[in-house]
DNA sequence: AGAACTTGCAACATTTATGTCGCATGTCAT
DNA sequence: ATGACATGCGACATAAATGTTGCAAGTTCT
């Protein structure tokens, strides 16, 4: 792949994320314009609109997997790992919120998501065994809340804040709520 | 309005909610089919697709406002009110999730949402004054988390559960999280 | 420098959703 | 019963997004 082409592909993917996260019904025209290329160029690189969205999902999923991979450990205390993973995921999801919310037809994407979810469950069980999460907590519900908090944080008005600070607030809320 | 017409309008609104909550990109054809009417009939009742969606939002917003109105009190303890409002809102949002997530162009809809949000803030302040919510909690963040939990609960796999039970779990999570 | 590749542009084809109309048939309300 | 209204159906009109192609001009890489 020529350096030329790679730049264009990246520009299109990033523009598509910007445009579609604001307006999921936007057309190829608007995406092309945001990327600074002609509409035909988008079609040259991505056979169809669906192919483009799938490529976005694949790209975002790769970064997502990397983010989890780099932060996940079984050696550090569960609280530390939870914090690191959260911050790491937030950094990706702030930039690729639309692409990550698409459940692509690509089975590889689905596989990665399932794998991450499995890791999340493992981490939560470890946190429960460490006494961080209450012994009678519903871990399925806990995971759903955790995902919802990540989504809210990543799409909310705090996107310019430090990911570590956001993760601290998120994990604190997850573990203690707003009561005394 | 003839009794005839009213039934049709209702059927269309409910079908549109069912169809669009599954697939926001669905066309008038699919909505009409789900409602058991011809596509032209939908166009007779709603001038355009946008008009239909706006009508859905208006309809759902009315029920939303009623739900809050009927459950909100300033006399009962904050915890009781919080629980009742939550259960009441859940009952509506489970059935009208798509319509409620649309911020309609109708200013009346926006007004109601702003009003409910104001009430939510008042209730949270009352909860804080009562010691239910920690004195140093960020109430803006608390409201965002509360909304996110409602959204997750209403769109998640628990829709057939009892709204009171869901509200209990939701409020408990909001106040105490999953820690010990 | 030169081959291979990429891009923009304009034009065209196709598809799909949307919106409109008239008319025959059926339903409602008084 | 009867006038007024609603519906289904088929046909039509239109607009917009999508996808394709050929070619001239520019870029990359060796």
């Amino acid at each position: 792949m020529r350096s030329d082409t790679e730049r264009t592909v990246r520009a299109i993917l990033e523009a598509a994320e910007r445009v579609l996260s604001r307006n999921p019904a936007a057309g190829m025209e608007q995406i092309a314009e945001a990327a600074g290329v002609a509409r035909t160029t988008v079609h040259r690189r991505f056979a169809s609109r669906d192919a483009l969205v799938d490529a976005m999902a694949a790209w975002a999923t790769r970064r997502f997997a990397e983010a989890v991979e780099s932060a996940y450990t079984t050696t550090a205390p569960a609280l530390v790992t939870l914090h690191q993973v959260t911050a790491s995921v937030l950094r990706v999801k702030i930039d690729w919120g639309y692409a990550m919310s698409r459940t692509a037809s690509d089975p590889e994407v689905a596989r990665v998501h399932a794998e991450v979810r499995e890791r999340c469950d493992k981490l939560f069980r470890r946190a429960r065994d460490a006494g961080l999460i209450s012994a009678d907590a519903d871990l399925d519900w806990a995971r759903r809340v955790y995902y919802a908090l990540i989504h809210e944080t990543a799409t909310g008005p705090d996107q310019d804040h430090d990911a570590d600070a956001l993760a601290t607030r998120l994990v604190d809320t997850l573990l203690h709520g707003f009561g005394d």
Side-chain angles (χ1 to χ4, degrees), chain A:
Chain A
M1 200 186 228
R2 237 168 76 170
S3 67
D4 199 348
T5 307
E6 193 173 341
R7 256 201 313 278
T8 301
V9 168
R10 260 189 85 108
I12 292 171
L13 288 174
E14 289 171 2
E17 169 61 36
R18 278 197 307 276
V19 171
L20 294 180
S21 64
R22 279 184 183 278
N23 170 24
M28 302 290 262
E29 185 73 58
Q30 291 165 257
I31 294 170
E33 188 186 349
V37 301
R39 188 174 62 87
T40 46
T41 299
V42 179
H43 276 111
R44 247 190 289 268
R45 294 299 156 205
F46 303 96
S48 70
R49 193 185 199 278
D50 280 349
L52 169 57
V53 173
D54 282 359
M56 290 172 67
W59 172 260
T61 296
R62 183 192 306 263
R63 304 197 45 132
F64 178 43
E66 287 168 4
V68 173
E69 185 63 34
S70 73
Y72 186 91
T73 72
T74 54
T75 55
L79 180 59
V80 172
T81 301
L82 182 58
H83 179 277
Q84 303 290 5
V85 169
T86 303
S88 195
V89 167
L90 279 176
R91 275 184 273 267
V92 174
K93 178 136 187 180
I94 283 173
D95 286 338
W96 296 97
Y98 175 83
M100 282 183 62
S101 67
R102 290 279 116 187
T103 23
S105 46
D106 184 352
E108 170 67 9
V109 168
R111 197 187 59 77
V112 170
H113 278 262
E115 198 176 294
V116 167
R117 183 179 158 145
E118 186 53 45
R119 280 213 173 158
C120 179
D121 285 340
K122 277 205 175 77
L123 178 56
F124 275 24
R125 281 197 291 274
R126 199 152 71 81
R128 188 182 53 188
D129 294 345
L132 206 68
I133 287 179
S134 149
D136 60 346
D138 176 348
L139 290 191
D140 221 58
W141 169 237
R143 182 183 39 70
R144 283 170 57 196
V145 170
Y146 178 53
Y147 274 40
L149 292 182
I150 287 177
H151 184 265
E152 173 58 34
T153 300
T155 59
D158 309 306
Q159 300 182 10
D160 50 340
H161 287 47
D162 177 47
D164 267 302
L166 293 176
T168 299
R169 182 179 69 176
L170 194 161
V171 170
D172 182 66
T173 298
L174 181 71
L175 293 181
H176 306 115
F178 294 95
D180 262 325

